[in-house]
Each structure stands twice: as structure tokens, then as C-alpha cells.
Amino acid sequence: MIVNLAQFSNQTQTIIRQFLNMHPVPQVPSWIACAEQLKAKGRHLEAAVIMDLIAVKYGRDTARRQWKQCMGVNIGDCGKGSGFASNAVAMGYGPVLLMGSLFVGVGDRISVCHILEGWKPSIDLDEVRKTGLRLANVRLSSAAYTLVVAVDDTLYTIEDNVLKPVMTFERKIMGLSEGLDSGEILVLVAAVSPVFAPDCILVRGIGKTPEAVPLPNVQQKLFGDCVAYDEGWVTCNGGMQNSEVRFIHPDGSWETRFAHEKRVLRVACSERGPVSIDADGQAFLWDGETVIEDRHFAVDLLPQEVLEHISEYQAGVDWGRGILYLNDKAEQIEHVDAWQLSDVEIAHNAFVYQIYPSRSGLCAALLGDGYFHFWNLEQNCVVASWQMPELLGEAEDWRTLLDNKIRLSIEDDPRIRKIVVDDI
């Protein structure tokens, strides 16, 4: 990613010129104080650039030592991702974005990374392991502002890194929806017979007194066919009519809308709210149960094999830029089939595989390096404090960042920041 200082405000450009051209050169604490002031105003990229430019006057080693003091992230972690995505991609769920942190299940633990403070101690799941067995079937979500974890047949919440059982089911948990702030979540448990669909159960009272409410008429997969919004869930497929969008309410009731003329393929989260996409590529942005905007995506350009297996693909939407992201499940990130669709064209296995906007305003992205990253939708790149600055990178950083099957130049890599200072 190239950052041209001309894109900043006149005030910031003036500050940078002063820091680079004053004699004597301002001391390092002055650079840090300026960056912290910009950061406090929400101007994170400008703050990061100030910290980068310390290297111009004081050298890379000095700038690297000062990075965490202001940006909250160890410089050695920049660009390298905020969570290993292999388990999540194989099981078909994204990271959980909650209270500024990104949670990802990795084997017998949950990694925890805070967007402003860096890596936190991981959450150990070993205490719920059954003797001699490898932990499997671990799924993550959130509800009532707390992390929710499913292990085998039991639902847990995690508070202060301590697992607290919420409810145990008679059969294994096969899926979790995104939960609601009011404390509800949809849980899929294995069917009593292979010929039946998994049972969907509404669990209410997360964080209080839990209650299970079976939903016999709901047959969601909770993978690309269910998106939470403030007042419930927007769903498609699940035994409904092809063109139907169903709204499930926190009390278990539901109702339908027929905005689409063709079969609804997927529902997805965007930075603006839930989106439904049909077989013609018609996409509707919903506010509650009302369509407020529409777009078109070039669904017709997808290979027939993808369209035939579209129910196996997760979806995310960058509504502002008009991009639909699709990816399937895979045991290894190298085998993920990912697509980007605009109004008129598609791209296969571009470096950004999927995005995960959230109702909290945070966004993550799954990149071709096999990691989740905190993502800036407006600038279409990794957030500034988590990018590796070209001025600060060492040989080992570049070996790690550039060792993936998708070869990108530094200028095109959303994990790396290159500053153009020719006009300063």
C-alpha cells in the first residue's frame, strides 16, 4: 500500500515538514507526543506515519523500539495477522470481533488479539477436553457482549478467561449463529438421523438464565444463510421459498419478505447492515425488515460449478466499494476457493479472500497468507497500527510476509505501508 502525504490534511503535511526539516531535529519524545495526539483524534494512519518517519532521522532501530509505546502493537507482529485461520476456515466460521478483540479458535486454545493493545493471553480449552481425545468441533460466537464457545455438546461462555457452562445438549453442536446483544443465539445440533436436517434451537438468556426454544420450522446451515442484526436474524434457504428472505425474531417467531424475484443465494454482513443476494446478482441492503438500497454483483460470471455448490460458500460484502466476497470451506488455506465480485467483473483467489464486518464497527479480513487481519474498509487495507511500515521492516519480517503463493509487490500489499515523501 502506498501512502502519499498529499492525501493528508494541510495541517498534518505542515507538521510532517516541520519534523523532517527543522534544525535541530525534534527529539523522539516530540514525535511520539504528536503521534499520540493524532491517534486521540482518531487519525490513526497519520499517527502511524509520524511514527514511521522517526526512522528517517533517527534510524530504523530507534523507530522500532518506540513503536509499541504509541501504537500498542509490537512491531514484530505488524503485517503478520491477528489470528491463524486454518481451523476456522475448515469448520466454516469467521473470527469473533468483540469489545475491540479478535478471537480465533486454534487447536485446544483460543487466540486473543486486541486492535489497540496487541496480543493478549490465549484462552486454554484443555479443561473441557475429554480424556485422551483431541479437541474437535470447537466453534466460536458471541452474545450479550460475551464470548460464546461450543465444544462437542456443550455451550460455554468465557468471562475473565474462565469457561462457564451454559447448556449441554443431547447431541453434538454443529453450528452457531452470531448472537444478539440481548442474549439470544441460534444453535444447530446434530440430527437424530442422517436423513434429517440438524435441529435448530434458539438459546435465550445468555449471561442470565438460559432457556432452549426448539425451532422446528427453521433449517439453516448457519453458514452463508444467516446474518444477525439488532433485532434478530436475516436468513435465506432453510426450506423456504426460493425468493424468500426470512426474519427470525429473538422470541422464536418469524416472518418473510419477498423483495427478490429470483432465488436468494446468500445473505451476508456488510458495514452498513445485512445484505441478501439472488441468482441474478441483485443485492438488497436491509434496515430491519425494510430494503434501503440496492446493488448488482456479476454472479452470472461465476463458473457453473461454483453456482451449483453456492450453499457451501460464505459471503461478505463491502457495500461502499461494491464488492461481494465468497469463499468455501477447506482443510488448508491453500485449498480455499475464493471470489471477488463487482458489478461487472470477478476475480479468483485475489489476496483478500473474505471480509467480516461487524455491528460494532470493527472489521476483519481473511487474506491469502492464511491469517485474519484487522481491516480498514474505507482504505481497503490492514488497519494502520497493524501494517508493517517499509521504513521499519527487517529482513526476517520480509521473509515472513512475502512467503506465500500470491506474490504481491510492496506497493500492492495491503499489509505493508510504503510512504512517498518526495514532495516533503
Side-chain angles (χ1 to χ4, degrees):
M1 170 190 171
I2 294 179
V3 176
N4 191 314
L5 298 185
Q7 72 191 69
F8 295 153
S9 67
N10 291 334
Q11 180 184 25
T12 299
Q13 292 183 51
T14 298
I15 292 172
I16 291 173
R17 288 190 179 92
Q18 290 174 342
F19 271 94
L20 291 176
N21 297 322
M22 284 179 65
H23 298 285
V25 177
Q27 295 297 304
V28 171
S30 298
W31 297 69
I32 297 173
C34 179
E36 288 177 338
Q37 291 176 10
L38 289 168
K39 187 178 175 183
K41 296 176 181 178
R43 293 152 68 177
H44 295 276
L45 176 58
E46 295 172 32
V49 166
I50 291 288
M51 295 301 296
D52 297 353
L53 292 175
I54 291 175
V56 173
K57 293 298 183 180
Y58 288 94
R60 182 182 61 201
D61 291 343
T62 297
R64 285 177 67 95
R65 286 195 298 270
Q66 304 301 323
W67 180 263
K68 183 174 175 59
Q69 177 179 340
C70 177
M71 305 311 294
V73 180
N74 289 320
I75 188 64
D77 294 329
C78 290
K80 298 173 185 175
S82 309
F84 186 47
S86 180
N87 285 23
V89 168
M91 299 189 69
Y93 64 82
V96 174
L97 294 163
L98 178 67
M99 308 298 283
S101 290
L102 183 149
F103 298 86
V104 180
V106 183
D108 59 356
R109 63 184 178 87
I110 299 171
S111 67
V112 186
C113 194
H114 194 276
I115 189 170
L116 299 179
E117 301 171 6
W119 287 97
K120 299 290 186 179
S122 60
I123 300 169
D124 187 7
L125 299 176
D126 192 63
E127 65 183 85
V128 299
R129 182 198 306 273
K130 296 180 180 177
T131 304
L133 296 179
R134 175 178 173 271
L135 273 179
N137 208 39
V138 176
R139 301 173 187 275
L140 306 183
S141 187
S142 66
Y145 303 101
T146 187
L147 187 64
V148 178
V149 182
V151 181
D152 293 324
D153 58 358
T154 304
L155 203 63
Y156 301 87
T157 56
I158 297 183
E159 301 174 17
D160 299 324
N161 282 24
V162 176
L163 282 81
K164 297 183 178 180
V166 173
M167 185 174 293
T168 298
F169 301 88
E170 295 180 356
R171 285 161 270 135
K172 282 189 175 181
I173 297 172
M174 307 301 294
L176 292 178
S177 74
E178 182 184 359
L180 306 183
D181 295 342
S182 51
E184 295 82 14
I185 194 169
L186 300 179
V187 181
L188 284 189
V189 298
V192 294
S193 168
V195 300
F196 297 127
D199 293 328
C200 188
I201 298 173
L202 171 63
V203 177
R204 304 168 62 186
I206 297 291
K208 298 178 182 178
T209 303
E211 172 192 7
V213 180
L215 301 179
N217 294 317
V218 175
Q219 298 178 7
Q220 306 304 139
K221 292 184 177 180
L222 305 184
F223 179 74
D225 63 357
C226 181
V227 173
Y229 70 110
D230 291 342
E231 300 171 9
W233 296 271
V234 183
T235 69
C236 67
N237 303 325
M240 303 181 287
Q241 297 183 49
N242 283 343
S243 61
E244 175 183 343
V245 176
R246 177 185 288 181
F247 293 83
I248 302 175
H249 302 301
D251 62 359
S253 64
W254 51 271
E255 54 193 290
T256 61
R257 293 290 182 270
F258 290 93
H260 292 274
E261 296 182 1
K262 299 294 184 178
R263 179 169 70 99
V264 180
L265 301 178
R266 303 278 80 189
V267 292
C269 189
S270 80
E271 76 278 17
R272 295 278 308 281
V275 176
S276 56
I277 306 105
D278 69 24
D280 274 351
Q282 178 67 61
F284 292 122
L285 175 67
W286 297 85
D287 181 7
E289 297 168 27
T290 302
V291 172
I292 57 173
E293 289 183 23
D294 67 279
R295 279 191 176 278
H296 178 267
F297 298 112
V299 170
D300 60 308
L301 299 182
L302 288 170
Q304 188 61 33
E305 181 180 358
V306 174
L307 291 173
E308 290 175 354
H309 297 90
I310 196 69
S311 63
E312 300 172 14
Y313 284 72
Q314 183 69 283
V317 173
D318 181 338
W319 190 262
R321 296 179 61 245
I323 303 292
L324 167 64
Y325 295 86
L326 297 169
N327 76 278
D328 66 351
K329 301 177 186 179
E331 291 299 323
Q332 296 179 333
I333 191 69
E334 293 83 4
H335 300 152
V336 171
D337 189 45
W339 298 86
Q340 289 183 17
L341 288 72
S342 69
D343 183 16
V344 296
E345 60 184 2
I346 64 174
H348 185 223
N349 285 352
F351 194 59
V352 183
Y353 281 6
Q354 185 58 267
I355 62 168
Y356 306 88
S358 70
R359 302 198 309 280
S360 69
L362 286 179
C363 184
L366 169 63
L367 301 185
D369 60 4
Y371 288 83
F372 296 118
H373 295 254
F374 289 113
W375 193 249
N376 184 319
L377 275 169
E378 182 178 350
Q379 296 171 342
N380 198 40
C381 64
V382 173
V383 298
S385 58
W386 285 90
Q387 286 181 319
M388 172 56 72
E390 184 194 34
L391 289 170
L392 275 59
E394 296 181 335
E396 184 59 33
D397 298 320
W398 303 130
R399 279 194 291 269
T400 301
L401 290 176
L402 303 179
D403 182 22
N404 60 76
K405 68 174 185 177
I406 303 175
R407 294 295 177 183
L408 297 174
S409 66
I410 288 179
E411 290 80 2
D412 294 330
D413 197 318
R415 303 167 302 170
I416 299 170
R417 180 170 54 253
K418 178 183 177 70
I419 304 173
V420 176
V421 294
D422 295 343
D423 57 341
I424 298 299

PDB file of all heavy atoms in Angstrom, residues 1 6 21 79 84 123 157 216 240 246 292 301 304 320 325 369 412-413:
ATOM      1  N   MET A   1       0.844  -1.189   0.000  1.00  0.00           N
ATOM      2  CA  MET A   1       0.000   0.000   0.000  1.00  0.00           C
ATOM      3  C   MET A   1       0.885   1.247   0.000  1.00  0.00           C
ATOM      4  O   MET A   1       1.805   1.351   0.801  1.00  0.00           O
ATOM      5  CB  MET A   1      -0.897   0.006   1.233  1.00  0.00           C
ATOM      6  CG  MET A   1      -1.650   1.303   1.473  1.00  0.00           C
ATOM      7  SD  MET A   1      -2.456   1.345   3.087  1.00  0.00           S
ATOM      8  CE  MET A   1      -2.989   3.054   3.138  1.00  0.00           C
ATOM      9  N   ALA A   6       0.359  13.738   0.342  1.00  0.00           N
ATOM     10  CA  ALA A   6      -0.569  14.732  -0.198  1.00  0.00           C
ATOM     11  C   ALA A   6      -2.022  14.385   0.130  1.00  0.00           C
ATOM     12  O   ALA A   6      -2.890  15.246   0.051  1.00  0.00           O
ATOM     13  CB  ALA A   6      -0.391  14.847  -1.715  1.00  0.00           C
ATOM     14  N   ASN A  21      12.310  18.801   8.577  1.00  0.00           N
ATOM     15  CA  ASN A  21      13.195  19.859   8.092  1.00  0.00           C
ATOM     16  C   ASN A  21      13.732  20.791   9.179  1.00  0.00           C
ATOM     17  O   ASN A  21      14.618  21.612   8.910  1.00  0.00           O
ATOM     18  CB  ASN A  21      12.468  20.702   7.039  1.00  0.00           C
ATOM     19  CG  ASN A  21      12.090  19.877   5.811  1.00  0.00           C
ATOM     20  OD1 ASN A  21      12.845  19.017   5.382  1.00  0.00           O
ATOM     21  ND2 ASN A  21      10.910  20.131   5.259  1.00  0.00           N
ATOM     22  N   GLY A  79       1.744  -6.701  10.220  1.00  0.00           N
ATOM     23  CA  GLY A  79       1.634  -7.320   8.916  1.00  0.00           C
ATOM     24  C   GLY A  79       1.430  -8.811   8.938  1.00  0.00           C
ATOM     25  O   GLY A  79       1.090  -9.413   7.913  1.00  0.00           O
ATOM     26  N   PHE A  84      -4.486 -17.143  13.320  1.00  0.00           N
ATOM     27  CA  PHE A  84      -4.300 -18.179  12.315  1.00  0.00           C
ATOM     28  C   PHE A  84      -5.660 -18.754  11.935  1.00  0.00           C
ATOM     29  O   PHE A  84      -6.429 -19.173  12.781  1.00  0.00           O
ATOM     30  CB  PHE A  84      -3.392 -19.273  12.875  1.00  0.00           C
ATOM     31  CG  PHE A  84      -3.009 -20.316  11.875  1.00  0.00           C
ATOM     32  CD1 PHE A  84      -2.568 -19.959  10.612  1.00  0.00           C
ATOM     33  CD2 PHE A  84      -3.062 -21.661  12.198  1.00  0.00           C
ATOM     34  CE1 PHE A  84      -2.197 -20.922   9.684  1.00  0.00           C
ATOM     35  CE2 PHE A  84      -2.694 -22.624  11.281  1.00  0.00           C
ATOM     36  CZ  PHE A  84      -2.263 -22.257  10.024  1.00  0.00           C
ATOM     37  N   ILE A 123      -6.845 -18.233  25.577  1.00  0.00           N
ATOM     38  CA  ILE A 123      -7.780 -18.925  26.462  1.00  0.00           C
ATOM     39  C   ILE A 123      -7.600 -20.420  26.267  1.00  0.00           C
ATOM     40  O   ILE A 123      -7.753 -20.940  25.160  1.00  0.00           O
ATOM     41  CB  ILE A 123      -9.232 -18.520  26.143  1.00  0.00           C
ATOM     42  CG1 ILE A 123      -9.401 -17.011  26.331  1.00  0.00           C
ATOM     43  CG2 ILE A 123     -10.221 -19.288  27.012  1.00  0.00           C
ATOM     44  CD1 ILE A 123     -10.716 -16.478  25.790  1.00  0.00           C
ATOM     45  N   THR A 157     -19.845 -19.894  28.052  1.00  0.00           N
ATOM     46  CA  THR A 157     -19.416 -18.508  27.925  1.00  0.00           C
ATOM     47  C   THR A 157     -18.043 -18.402  28.573  1.00  0.00           C
ATOM     48  O   THR A 157     -17.642 -19.262  29.367  1.00  0.00           O
ATOM     49  CB  THR A 157     -20.382 -17.525  28.616  1.00  0.00           C
ATOM     50  OG1 THR A 157     -20.531 -17.901  30.002  1.00  0.00           O
ATOM     51  CG2 THR A 157     -21.735 -17.534  27.929  1.00  0.00           C
ATOM     52  N   PRO A 216     -38.646 -25.805  15.084  1.00  0.00           N
ATOM     53  CA  PRO A 216     -38.828 -26.937  14.167  1.00  0.00           C
ATOM     54  C   PRO A 216     -38.956 -26.539  12.703  1.00  0.00           C
ATOM     55  O   PRO A 216     -38.709 -27.351  11.818  1.00  0.00           O
ATOM     56  CB  PRO A 216     -40.105 -27.614  14.679  1.00  0.00           C
ATOM     57  CG  PRO A 216     -40.835 -26.528  15.414  1.00  0.00           C
ATOM     58  CD  PRO A 216     -39.774 -25.678  16.033  1.00  0.00           C
ATOM     59  N   MET A 240     -37.244 -22.685   2.835  1.00  0.00           N
ATOM     60  CA  MET A 240     -38.194 -21.640   2.495  1.00  0.00           C
ATOM     61  C   MET A 240     -38.379 -21.574   0.983  1.00  0.00           C
ATOM     62  O   MET A 240     -37.697 -22.249   0.215  1.00  0.00           O
ATOM     63  CB  MET A 240     -37.691 -20.291   3.009  1.00  0.00           C
ATOM     64  CG  MET A 240     -37.434 -20.259   4.513  1.00  0.00           C
ATOM     65  SD  MET A 240     -36.866 -18.631   5.060  1.00  0.00           S
ATOM     66  CE  MET A 240     -35.194 -18.620   4.429  1.00  0.00           C
ATOM     67  N   ARG A 246     -36.203 -14.532   5.194  1.00  0.00           N
ATOM     68  CA  ARG A 246     -36.927 -14.739   6.453  1.00  0.00           C
ATOM     69  C   ARG A 246     -36.239 -13.985   7.585  1.00  0.00           C
ATOM     70  O   ARG A 246     -35.008 -13.993   7.696  1.00  0.00           O
ATOM     71  CB  ARG A 246     -36.993 -16.232   6.796  1.00  0.00           C
ATOM     72  CG  ARG A 246     -37.681 -16.521   8.139  1.00  0.00           C
ATOM     73  CD  ARG A 246     -37.618 -17.986   8.498  1.00  0.00           C
ATOM     74  NE  ARG A 246     -38.500 -18.791   7.646  1.00  0.00           N
ATOM     75  CZ  ARG A 246     -38.626 -20.121   7.781  1.00  0.00           C
ATOM     76  NH1 ARG A 246     -37.911 -20.765   8.696  1.00  0.00           N
ATOM     77  NH2 ARG A 246     -39.448 -20.783   6.992  1.00  0.00           N
ATOM     78  N   ILE A 292     -33.317  -0.645   1.939  1.00  0.00           N
ATOM     79  CA  ILE A 292     -32.983   0.783   1.887  1.00  0.00           C
ATOM     80  C   ILE A 292     -32.067   1.137   0.713  1.00  0.00           C
ATOM     81  O   ILE A 292     -32.005   2.286   0.306  1.00  0.00           O
ATOM     82  CB  ILE A 292     -32.348   1.269   3.205  1.00  0.00           C
ATOM     83  CG1 ILE A 292     -31.099   0.452   3.550  1.00  0.00           C
ATOM     84  CG2 ILE A 292     -33.363   1.224   4.335  1.00  0.00           C
ATOM     85  CD1 ILE A 292     -30.328   1.001   4.748  1.00  0.00           C
ATOM     86  N   LEU A 301     -21.154 -14.369 -13.949  1.00  0.00           N
ATOM     87  CA  LEU A 301     -19.814 -14.679 -14.437  1.00  0.00           C
ATOM     88  C   LEU A 301     -19.130 -15.784 -13.645  1.00  0.00           C
ATOM     89  O   LEU A 301     -18.054 -16.253 -14.026  1.00  0.00           O
ATOM     90  CB  LEU A 301     -18.939 -13.422 -14.411  1.00  0.00           C
ATOM     91  CG  LEU A 301     -19.406 -12.251 -15.287  1.00  0.00           C
ATOM     92  CD1 LEU A 301     -18.418 -11.096 -15.190  1.00  0.00           C
ATOM     93  CD2 LEU A 301     -19.573 -12.692 -16.737  1.00  0.00           C
ATOM     94  N   GLN A 304     -20.088 -22.402 -13.417  1.00  0.00           N
ATOM     95  CA  GLN A 304     -21.283 -23.162 -13.096  1.00  0.00           C
ATOM     96  C   GLN A 304     -21.078 -24.047 -11.871  1.00  0.00           C
ATOM     97  O   GLN A 304     -21.990 -24.221 -11.058  1.00  0.00           O
ATOM     98  CB  GLN A 304     -21.697 -24.025 -14.297  1.00  0.00           C
ATOM     99  CG  GLN A 304     -23.043 -24.715 -14.133  1.00  0.00           C
ATOM    100  CD  GLN A 304     -24.185 -23.731 -13.958  1.00  0.00           C
ATOM    101  OE1 GLN A 304     -24.160 -22.632 -14.516  1.00  0.00           O
ATOM    102  NE2 GLN A 304     -25.190 -24.102 -13.176  1.00  0.00           N
ATOM    103  N   GLY A 320     -19.759  -0.176   0.482  1.00  0.00           N
ATOM    104  CA  GLY A 320     -19.285   1.107  -0.019  1.00  0.00           C
ATOM    105  C   GLY A 320     -18.524   0.977  -1.321  1.00  0.00           C
ATOM    106  O   GLY A 320     -18.679   1.803  -2.233  1.00  0.00           O
ATOM    107  N   TYR A 325     -17.638 -10.788  -1.541  1.00  0.00           N
ATOM    108  CA  TYR A 325     -16.605 -11.790  -1.331  1.00  0.00           C
ATOM    109  C   TYR A 325     -17.267 -13.135  -1.051  1.00  0.00           C
ATOM    110  O   TYR A 325     -18.206 -13.217  -0.256  1.00  0.00           O
ATOM    111  CB  TYR A 325     -15.711 -11.419  -0.146  1.00  0.00           C
ATOM    112  CG  TYR A 325     -14.909 -10.151  -0.351  1.00  0.00           C
ATOM    113  CD1 TYR A 325     -15.451  -8.901  -0.050  1.00  0.00           C
ATOM    114  CD2 TYR A 325     -13.604 -10.195  -0.840  1.00  0.00           C
ATOM    115  CE1 TYR A 325     -14.724  -7.739  -0.233  1.00  0.00           C
ATOM    116  CE2 TYR A 325     -12.864  -9.038  -1.021  1.00  0.00           C
ATOM    117  CZ  TYR A 325     -13.426  -7.814  -0.716  1.00  0.00           C
ATOM    118  OH  TYR A 325     -12.707  -6.660  -0.905  1.00  0.00           O
ATOM    119  N   ASP A 369      -2.538 -15.102   2.982  1.00  0.00           N
ATOM    120  CA  ASP A 369      -1.442 -15.623   3.802  1.00  0.00           C
ATOM    121  C   ASP A 369      -1.924 -16.616   4.848  1.00  0.00           C
ATOM    122  O   ASP A 369      -1.119 -17.192   5.589  1.00  0.00           O
ATOM    123  CB  ASP A 369      -0.676 -14.479   4.472  1.00  0.00           C
ATOM    124  CG  ASP A 369      -1.557 -13.621   5.386  1.00  0.00           C
ATOM    125  OD1 ASP A 369      -2.745 -13.937   5.566  1.00  0.00           O
ATOM    126  OD2 ASP A 369      -1.047 -12.617   5.913  1.00  0.00           O
ATOM    127  N   ASP A 412       1.459  -3.062  -3.632  1.00  0.00           N
ATOM    128  CA  ASP A 412       0.108  -3.627  -3.731  1.00  0.00           C
ATOM    129  C   ASP A 412      -0.312  -4.410  -2.497  1.00  0.00           C
ATOM    130  O   ASP A 412      -1.476  -4.813  -2.395  1.00  0.00           O
ATOM    131  CB  ASP A 412       0.024  -4.563  -4.946  1.00  0.00           C
ATOM    132  CG  ASP A 412       0.176  -3.826  -6.257  1.00  0.00           C
ATOM    133  OD1 ASP A 412      -0.205  -2.637  -6.315  1.00  0.00           O
ATOM    134  OD2 ASP A 412       0.696  -4.423  -7.223  1.00  0.00           O
ATOM    135  N   ASP A 413       0.607  -4.646  -1.584  1.00  0.00           N
ATOM    136  CA  ASP A 413       0.312  -5.492  -0.427  1.00  0.00           C
ATOM    137  C   ASP A 413      -0.439  -4.687   0.635  1.00  0.00           C
ATOM    138  O   ASP A 413       0.094  -3.689   1.141  1.00  0.00           O
ATOM    139  CB  ASP A 413       1.617  -6.040   0.157  1.00  0.00           C
ATOM    140  CG  ASP A 413       1.390  -7.229   1.078  1.00  0.00           C
ATOM    141  OD1 ASP A 413       0.436  -7.184   1.884  1.00  0.00           O
ATOM    142  OD2 ASP A 413       2.163  -8.196   0.994  1.00  0.00           O
TER     143      ASP A 413
END
